[in-house]
Amino acid sequence: MLRIVRLILWSMLFVAIWAVALQLKWSESTQWVIQMVPLWMLVSFGFFSLGKIGMSVAVFPTCLDAALDLQKEISQARVELEKNGVLEPTKTNNMMDKKGK
């Protein structure tokens, strides 16, 4: 089943249960808690999302080989552009030049 369909079904189930709970007779404090459940869920989802994004950024893997390959391709492209007269010849200062020396 598609992820969006599952999300819609679970959301509909939650709304149905919440609507039934609102119609039942509860004490005033319990009624207030039931009314605030969607807000609490939204805030909790926001904090969860921020935490998940923060952890993903914190443990983002570095790919040294890919970075070196990219620097090599950039250097090759710069040389080709200088040959074609698109760029003026300049003294480059990048990782590949330092590594090659």
Side-chain angles (χ1 to χ4, degrees):
M1 191 179 308
L2 292 175
R3 190 178 251 175
I4 190 71
V5 173
R6 246 185 307 174
L7 176 68
I8 291 170
L9 289 175
W10 279 108
S11 298
M12 288 173 53
L13 178 65
F14 169 75
V15 169
I17 292 171
W18 182 66
V20 168
L22 281 175
Q23 300 301 321
L24 298 175
K25 300 294 180 199
W26 302 94
S27 67
E28 189 174 320
S29 61
T30 306
Q31 188 71 21
W32 182 82
V33 169
I34 291 172
Q35 289 173 350
M36 291 295 130
V37 166
L39 179 63
W40 290 342
M41 289 182 67
L42 183 65
V43 169
S44 297
F45 176 72
F47 282 122
F48 171 78
S49 297
L50 284 174
K52 186 83 169 165
I53 292 169
M55 283 300 296
S56 297
V57 169
V59 297
F60 189 77
T62 56
C63 303
L64 185 59
D65 293 337
L68 292 175
D69 287 343
L70 182 60
Q71 285 293 330
K72 183 179 175 183
E73 289 177 13
I74 290 171
S75 297
Q76 290 172 349
R78 181 172 284 136
V79 168
E80 289 179 21
L81 290 172
E82 288 173 356
K83 278 184 192 176
N84 295 335
V86 176
L87 288 178
E88 293 180 16
T90 59
K91 187 175 182 181
T92 59
N93 186 13
N94 60 33
M95 281 198 289
M96 290 305 293
D97 290 340
K98 291 178 183 176
K99 187 176 180 181
K101 291 182 180 181

